[in-house]
Amino acid sequence: MLFDKDGTLLNFIGLWGSWSEYFYRHYKETLTGKGIKGEMASYAELWGNTHDETGEIVAYSRNGPLAMGLTGDLLSIIAWQGYRLGLPWSEAIRLARESQQLANEEMERLCAAHPLPGVIEFIKKCDQHNVLLVIVTADETSEALKHLAWMGIRRYFKVIIGHDRVAQGKPFPEMVHKACFELALQPDQVALIGDTNSDMQMGNSAGVGGIHWAHE
């Protein structure tokens, strides 16, 4: 059984929603502190987040950059705001990296990965029935390992495939093929559970035996 991680096993808004807002807020404050005039694009325009009337994030686009993009994509998206407002690209990207690091440190402090309802029970049942479990994620492998440890389910997963372990990540089939190779299985012998179009496209192109849509 192959699982996407974010939005499938863990609460996406609790981790990446919080991360993106901290990242955005720090970058915006940094630009203001440097006397940069003008407004950054909104959360919704940059990330695909939706907020309620109090400003709290309540939803995200499963087709947006926050859900489907790599960390480098998100870094470039926010650095573009600094460049657009007058910073040299070298300075815009340097400040973006600093803001990203602060956001990462905040998530580390909070151990902000929390399982979705029913996930722990389902994973334990799979383990009891000797179902081999694998993670295929657009996140980096080291980050995936950390998030699984925060949720207390690291030991249940035999293989962890992050985007850094393949030449082409989602929606290409390479993650599935690599996981199957390490499990000594064929793609039609495994099932995939994910929550974005890139998960579905990856599974279809790899020829997995079953694809299941997860809803947060």
Side-chain angles (χ1 to χ4, degrees), residues 25-199:
R25 186 165 61 251
H26 187 271
Y27 195 74
K28 184 175 183 178
E29 290 171 354
T30 300
L31 295 185
T32 300
K34 288 184 168 294
I36 302 296
K37 300 187 182 300
E39 287 294 322
M40 287 176 56
S42 68
Y43 287 117
E45 290 177 289
L46 289 185
W47 307 128
N49 296 353
T50 301
H51 295 73
D52 64 16
E53 61 277 1
T54 68
E56 182 178 353
I57 181 172
V58 293
Y60 64 98
S61 170
R62 295 179 188 275
N63 295 321
L66 188 60
M68 298 177 70
L70 302 179
T71 304
D73 299 331
L74 304 177
L75 191 71
S76 295
I77 286 170
I78 206 162
W80 174 256
Q81 298 302 300
Y83 178 74
R84 182 177 64 83
L85 295 174
L87 286 177
W89 179 252
S90 58
E91 181 72 355
I93 198 74
R94 182 183 69 80
L95 295 176
R97 290 192 180 106
E98 290 179 359
S99 296
Q100 177 194 17
Q101 181 58 35
L102 287 170
N104 291 347
E105 290 171 2
E106 181 66 6
M107 296 303 101
E108 291 270 359
R109 185 183 70 80
L110 297 172
C111 293
H114 303 290
L116 290 169
V119 161
I120 300 296
E121 293 80 3
F122 181 68
I123 293 300
K124 288 181 177 179
K125 284 183 179 179
C126 289
D127 182 64
Q128 289 167 4
H129 288 84
N130 298 315
V131 177
L132 297 176
L133 303 181
V134 177
I135 294 292
V136 285
T137 176
D139 205 356
E140 294 182 3
T141 303
S142 60
E143 291 296 297
L145 289 166
K146 179 170 58 182
H147 297 158
L148 293 171
W150 287 352
M151 294 189 289
I153 56 175
R154 166 65 188 94
R155 68 184 182 89
Y156 295 107
F157 291 88
K158 183 176 179 64
V159 176
I160 314 292
I161 309 286
H163 79 87
D164 53 305
R165 294 194 60 199
V166 295
Q168 290 183 306
K170 302 177 185 180
F172 296 96
E174 188 179 353
M175 282 187 177
V176 173
H177 292 161
K178 187 172 186 65
C180 288
F181 175 79
E182 296 191 12
L183 294 173
L185 295 172
Q186 295 300 314
D188 61 3
Q189 295 177 292
V190 304
L192 170 69
I193 301 178
D195 72 318
T196 67
N197 284 334
S198 63
D199 293 316

